Amino acid sequence: MKHNVWEYIEIAKSTEAFTPAEIDVLRDVLEEYQKNPNSGYVLLEEKDGESILGFLIYGPTPMTEASYDLYWIIVGKNHQKCGIGKKLLLEMENDILAEHKKASIRIETSGKNSYANTRLFYESMGYEETGRIKDFYCDGDDLIIYCKKISY
């Protein structure tokens, strides 16, 4: 990680999509990655020169042969809808396929209306809703699980 944790946090805050508690969790993940690059987290970033435009954090799912979790995908507010998220997601899939002939990727996200575009993005990238837990995060905010099987 060449950049400071605060740079990633500022990008996440710029989206105005995350609660303070979510930002705290992101900070914990980034600090763990920074302290221990072999923690299991993988950080991908899209940059313009030295400026980070967006980033993605994923890792292998424990106790599975070839399943992965996408933990975070964040594109700065001024760079959304420019293909950066798509590029990051495809890079993650390609990295995984470099290790495995086939794999599964799981994404958990919010069912809030404010996440509708996020869910449409995942669906446009071939991820399918495979589960939903009603009122998981709080009343009216479901946990939605997406999955995609990839292979070469």
Side-chain angles (χ1 to χ4, degrees), residues 15 17 73 80-81 85-86 89 107 109-125 127 144 146:
T15 68
I73 182 168
Q80 293 178 358
K81 300 189 190 290
K86 179 179 180 176
L89 207 55
I107 302 170
T109 193
S110 170
K112 292 190 293 191
N113 288 339
S114 60
Y115 277 70
N117 286 336
T118 301
R119 294 189 303 274
L120 286 172
F121 167 70
Y122 293 140
E123 291 166 11
S124 76
M125 295 297 295
Y127 289 79
I144 300 177
Y146 284 92

Side-chain angles (χ1 to χ4, degrees), residues 58 61 66-70 89 92-94 96 103-107 127-128 130 145-150:
Y58 76 97
T61 306
S67 294
Y68 290 79
D69 287 297
L70 171 61
L89 207 55
M92 175 191 70
E93 292 176 8
N94 288 331
I96 292 169
S104 294
I105 301 170
R106 178 178 61 177
I107 302 170
Y127 289 79
E128 295 180 13
T130 57
I145 303 164
Y146 284 92
C147 189
K148 181 178 182 181
K149 293 194 180 286
I150 58 173

